[in-house]
Amino acid sequence: SLNRLRDLAAAKSAAIGTFVSMGNMSEVECLGYTGLDFVVIDTEHGPFDTETMMNLIRAAELVHLVPVVRLANVDHKDIQRAADCGAQAIILPCLRELDDFKKAVALAKYAPIGQRGFIKGRGTHFGNAPWAATETLEEYYANSNERLLVMPQCETKEALEQIEDIVQIEGLDGIFIGPYDLSTCLGIPGQFETPVFKEATDRILKACHDAGKLCYIFTGTTNQARDYIAQGYDGIAHNLDFNILIEAYKQVVADIRK
Ligand code: 3PY
């Protein structure tokens, strides 16, 4: 397919990624030498601007990491720019209404699935990049729709309660579970081992797979990550750049001092 995350899921091989929130190009390049499959360029919490997002996408492309972008809002300009800058998956946080999920798909996918606006330019690669070298605009739209995954987050009570309907939306490729916000919305913040939380995540995973959609989840520990992979999640976004950097240097210092 035109998206490696789809291929990994089809091969039943869980994709492993991490959140990039520091927003540094060299950092992304380094992550390309670690065996990770994707990076989530986090414009929701990260402090960087749109141009930096584009350069982070470029850095990811350079080292063959799938560039995933998290946006703060279901917003025309944000989604259009992330898609045009080359994001290969879009994650949107804290959606509540079925209509918001539909709108996210409509903005990110070209016709006939959605209404994404088209322009010939760097962003779209129309006629230039190998996957975009199509004869017709119609074929190009189909390729772009295959290449860009729309994976909104399920991390509110409202989304959880209608997850079976959400995953039926045409053009929605998968769901990304945010355990911190989901557990908070369920009144059990950070209590990932509780039956209520387990029931919620099991429900989302089942709904996704019953509908033939991907299910990704964020993890804070490698034990949790292994556990989720064993349960059948298609992808794990593990931790954030700066936490892992701190841990790695702490380990180095501890090793030297011991
Ligand atoms: C959450 O756990 O709430 C997330 O969104 C992870 O980034």
Side-chain angles (χ1 to χ4, degrees):
S1 82
L2 296 173
N3 187 306
R4 199 154 70 85
L5 300 182
R6 283 191 204 282
D7 297 341
L8 287 169
K12 299 250 178 288
S13 174
I16 302 173
T18 195
F19 271 75
V20 166
S21 55
M22 296 193 299
N24 182 283
M25 267 67 87
S26 302
E27 170 205 351
V28 171
E29 225 178 307
C30 291
L31 291 176
Y33 304 124
T34 63
L36 287 175
D37 300 300
F38 67 93
V39 280
V40 182
I41 297 164
D42 191 5
T43 73
E44 183 198 6
H45 291 288
F48 43 84
D49 61 16
T50 305
E51 194 161 346
T52 299
M53 174 195 71
M54 179 175 71
N55 286 324
L56 294 169
I57 290 172
R58 282 188 174 134
E61 287 171 350
L62 187 71
V63 290
H64 307 292
L65 287 165
V66 178
V68 178
V69 174
R70 177 157 74 177
L71 299 166
N73 298 304
V74 182
D75 174 79
H76 179 160
K77 189 163 139 188
D78 288 352
I79 292 180
Q80 184 78 58
R81 286 184 174 202
D84 285 357
C85 286
Q88 290 182 40
I90 287 177
I91 295 179
L92 296 143
C94 291
L95 306 194
R96 290 190 159 73
E97 311 298 331
L98 185 65
D99 277 350
D100 288 334
F101 286 85
K102 286 185 180 163
K103 188 174 167 198
V105 173
L107 290 171
K109 300 276 180 168
Y110 288 115
I113 296 170
Q115 300 139 29
R116 176 176 163 189
F118 174 76
I119 187 158
K120 258 183 171 179
R122 188 266 160 197
T124 50
H125 297 289
F126 180 61
N128 296 320
W131 64 270
T134 55
E135 289 290 318
T136 67
L137 194 56
E138 207 176 354
E139 274 177 275
Y140 169 78
Y141 284 170
N143 281 359
S144 295
N145 287 348
E146 182 180 320
R147 186 171 168 85
L148 175 62
L149 303 175
V150 181
M151 293 206 290
Q153 293 194 240
C154 181
E155 53 179 2
T156 63
K157 208 162 183 279
E158 294 86 341
L160 175 65
E161 279 163 2
Q162 50 189 333
I163 190 66
E164 290 79 11
D165 296 329
I166 290 167
V167 294
Q168 292 303 326
I169 297 170
E170 190 198 356
L172 181 137
D173 299 289
I175 289 291
F176 184 99
I177 302 178
Y180 284 93
D181 288 322
L182 180 61
S183 62
T184 303
C185 286
L186 295 175
I188 45 167
Q191 295 166 38
F192 306 135
E193 306 303 325
T194 54
V196 174
F197 186 75
K198 176 93 176 89
E199 209 174 285
T201 50
D202 283 354
R203 177 173 171 182
I204 301 166
L205 179 64
K206 182 175 186 313
C208 286
H209 285 177
D210 283 354
K213 305 288 169 84
L214 306 179
C215 194
Y216 274 48
I217 192 163
F218 176 83
T219 54
T221 69
T222 48
N223 281 344
Q224 238 171 26
R226 274 198 303 274
D227 190 38
Y228 283 131
I229 290 173
Q231 289 174 41
Y233 283 87
D234 301 291
I236 303 294
H238 180 69
N239 217 324
L240 272 65
D241 45 13
F242 63 85
N243 288 332
I244 294 178
L245 191 67
I246 291 169
E247 282 312 310
Y249 273 105
K250 267 164 95 174
Q251 189 63 54
V252 166
V253 174
D255 278 355
I256 293 172
R257 295 209 187 279
K258 86 179 169 202

